[in-house]
């Protein structure tokens, strides 16, 4: 692992300081989003209660409309002799779309935009087998943004992702260091297992396929951008990657180098890195409709049975 001119202790110190700033600013907002996912997007129906599912119904309708009606972009010729060039470009574009699995990536991105308020895609290594970039979706609830960041990743001084799990062979393949200090993943038992052994709620996988918690942190040091991997406890550094400038403009000014993270919003509001979700827009409507329905049923009972039942 090449640390360039930085010491490992200074990197860990910067990571922990930036993590503490997040914890004081964004933790509450992320907890609200986690609770909203349980309350409003669970498709299970309780037949013993009257349930108005405005948020869930709108989420499903929005997802269907966005995916079915998204524009099918194609290159068109500008002159008669451009026909062959446009045809070749469209073939390359179609190949990239299929090989990169962009239909699935688009689906999960739109799902996260609706539920959380932001969809996040991360650029990975270039796939030399398919000759395409590697793009993956990241759960926004694993994302820890710069509290003062804006709608684009260019305005973030740092950002990172937690709760990433890797097996030991993957860490060795990436030439991770300090793997003897890797953090084993704690696995929560199922409800049935917990009922049979209430004294133990978490276990550590002792199999050869055990997973380890890896923390990924993007940060800036003296105008240069880096990607660091630490253990889940943020006490040791596994790997450090310098995000090198690629274009001529980036080599002249490294402030133009971006973290390999793409943010997509439906509605972005200032000082809210998670934007507005469907629940933010409709949960008051759903709550009021539920009250009205229950008041209506109470009125019908009184008119039918001459009293409250």
């Amino acid at each position: 692992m090449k640390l360039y001119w930085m010491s490992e202790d200074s990197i860990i110190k910067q990571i922990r300081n930036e993590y503490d700033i997040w914890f004081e600013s964004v933790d509450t907002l992320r907890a609200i989003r986690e609770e909203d996912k349980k309350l409003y997007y669970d498709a299970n129906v309780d037949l013993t209660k009257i349930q108005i599912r405005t948020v869930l119904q709108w989420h499903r309708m929005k997802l269907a409309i966005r995916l079915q009606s998204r524009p099918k972009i194609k290159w068109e010729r500008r002159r008669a002799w451009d026909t062959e060039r446009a045809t070749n470009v469209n073939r390359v574009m179609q190949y990239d779309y299929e090989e990169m699995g962009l239909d699935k990536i688009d689906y999960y991105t739109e799902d996260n935009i609706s539920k959380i308020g932001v969809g996040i895609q991360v650029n990975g290594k270039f796939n030399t087998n398919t000759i395409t970039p590697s793009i993956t979706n990241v759960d926004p609830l694993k994302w820890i943004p710069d509290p003062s960041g804006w709608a684009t990743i260019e305005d973030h001084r740092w950002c990172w992702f937690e709760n990433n799990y890797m097996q030991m062979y993957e860490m060795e393949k990436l030439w991770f260091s300090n793997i003897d200090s890797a953090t084993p993943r704690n696995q929560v038992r199922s409800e049935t297992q917990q009922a049979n052994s209430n004294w133990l709620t978490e276990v550590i996988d002792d199999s050869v396929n055990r997973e380890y918690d890896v923390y990924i942190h993007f940060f800036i040091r003296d105008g240069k951008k880096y990607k660091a991997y630490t253990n889940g406890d943020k006490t040791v550094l596994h790997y450090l990657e310098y995000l090198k400038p690629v274009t001529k403009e980036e080599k002249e000014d490294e402030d133009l180098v971006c973290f390999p993270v793409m943010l997509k919003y439906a509605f972005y509001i200032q000082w809210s890195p998670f934007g507005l979700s469907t629940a933010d827009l409709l949960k008051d409507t759903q709550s009021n409709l539920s009250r009205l329905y229950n008041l209506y049923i109470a009125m019908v009972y009184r008119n039918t049975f001459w009293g409250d039942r």
Side-chain angles (χ1 to χ4, degrees):
M1 175 178 60
K2 189 176 181 181
L3 295 181
Y4 300 93
W5 53 271
M6 295 178 288
S7 68
E8 182 173 340
D9 290 341
S10 69
I11 296 173
I12 292 295
K13 182 178 180 180
Q14 179 173 347
I15 288 174
R16 295 186 68 90
N17 287 340
E18 292 174 352
Y19 182 89
D20 290 339
I21 293 174
W22 156 79
F23 191 81
E24 297 176 356
S25 304
V26 188
D27 184 54
T28 301
L29 179 59
R30 195 169 71 159
I32 292 173
R33 287 291 190 271
E34 290 176 341
E35 188 64 23
D36 284 348
K37 285 188 69 175
K38 298 176 183 176
L39 290 176
Y40 299 106
Y41 300 102
D42 187 358
N44 295 326
V45 177
D46 187 351
L47 298 178
T48 64
K49 299 179 181 178
I50 296 177
Q51 294 180 304
I52 307 301
R53 313 302 295 273
T54 306
V55 174
L56 180 61
Q57 291 169 353
W58 179 260
H59 162 72
R60 288 174 169 173
M61 181 177 66
K62 176 185 173 184
L63 203 61
I65 293 174
R66 290 294 298 271
L67 294 177
Q68 291 178 7
S69 62
R70 65 178 183 268
K72 305 296 189 295
I73 301 174
K74 288 189 176 182
W75 295 90
E76 295 184 356
R77 64 184 178 90
R78 290 183 298 177
R79 305 176 183 86
W81 53 84
D82 284 338
T83 302
E84 183 178 356
R85 182 181 300 176
T87 301
N88 291 335
V89 170
N90 285 321
R91 287 174 179 171
V92 172
M93 184 177 67
Q94 182 66 24
Y95 171 84
D96 288 348
Y97 192 89
E98 294 174 355
E99 289 296 329
M100 295 168 64
L102 290 182
D103 52 347
K104 186 181 295 184
I105 292 174
D106 289 345
Y107 176 85
Y108 286 114
T109 300
E110 292 294 337
D111 184 69
N112 286 328
I113 291 173
S114 181
K115 290 182 178 178
I116 309 299
V118 59
I120 302 177
Q121 298 176 359
V122 177
N123 289 332
K125 300 292 184 180
F126 191 84
N127 191 327
T128 57
N129 293 325
T130 60
I131 319 299
T132 58
S134 176
I135 299 178
T136 57
N137 274 294
V138 177
D139 182 357
L141 295 181
K142 292 183 177 181
W143 178 51
I144 308 176
D146 175 5
S148 60
W150 284 72
T152 59
I153 198 63
E154 290 87 345
D155 299 306
H156 284 69
R157 297 167 294 175
W158 61 77
C159 76
W160 51 95
F161 301 95
E162 61 179 1
N163 297 329
N164 303 281
Y165 303 109
M166 302 176 66
Q167 294 183 2
M168 186 60 67
Y169 84 92
E170 295 176 292
M171 301 172 71
E172 293 174 346
K173 185 177 180 180
L174 294 174
W175 296 94
F176 278 15
S177 62
N178 299 318
I179 57 177
D180 56 326
S181 300
T183 306
R185 177 183 181 181
N186 288 337
Q187 297 185 340
V188 180
R189 289 174 176 263
S190 65
E191 294 182 1
T192 304
Q193 290 174 316
Q194 290 185 24
N196 295 332
S197 55
N198 292 326
W199 56 274
L200 182 63
T201 57
E202 290 186 351
V203 294
I204 296 178
D205 182 9
D206 290 327
S207 69
V208 294
N209 294 321
R210 73 167 62 176
E211 293 182 325
Y212 294 85
D213 192 2
V214 177
Y215 178 79
I216 302 174
H217 189 103
F218 296 93
F219 67 97
I220 302 174
R221 178 76 70 91
D222 287 348
K224 298 181 184 294
K225 295 182 173 67
Y226 299 89
K227 178 181 181 181
Y229 295 79
T230 76
N231 61 349
D233 299 328
K234 307 170 199 64
T235 56
V236 298
L237 188 66
H238 288 319
Y239 189 77
L240 180 68
E241 179 181 350
Y242 169 47
L243 303 180
K244 297 179 181 179
V246 177
T247 64
K248 178 181 178 182
E249 293 76 13
E250 290 177 347
K251 292 178 180 178
E252 294 175 352
D253 181 8
E254 290 202 33
D255 288 339
L256 299 177
V257 177
C258 295
F259 296 130
V261 179
M262 295 174 286
L263 307 178
K264 295 187 177 183
Y265 293 91
F267 302 98
Y268 178 80
I269 56 177
Q270 187 177 1
W271 310 119
S272 179
F274 290 104
L276 286 177
S277 67
T278 303
D280 289 332
L281 298 173
L282 296 175
K283 60 185 177 184
D284 289 340
T285 300
Q286 177 172 310
S287 177
N288 291 333
L289 286 173
S290 296
R291 291 190 180 96
L292 287 173
Y293 270 85
N294 282 281
L295 288 173
Y296 177 74
I297 289 178
M299 180 188 68
V300 171
Y301 265 82
R302 283 194 295 271
N303 292 339
T304 304
F305 299 105
W306 300 93
D308 293 333
R309 297 295 178 97

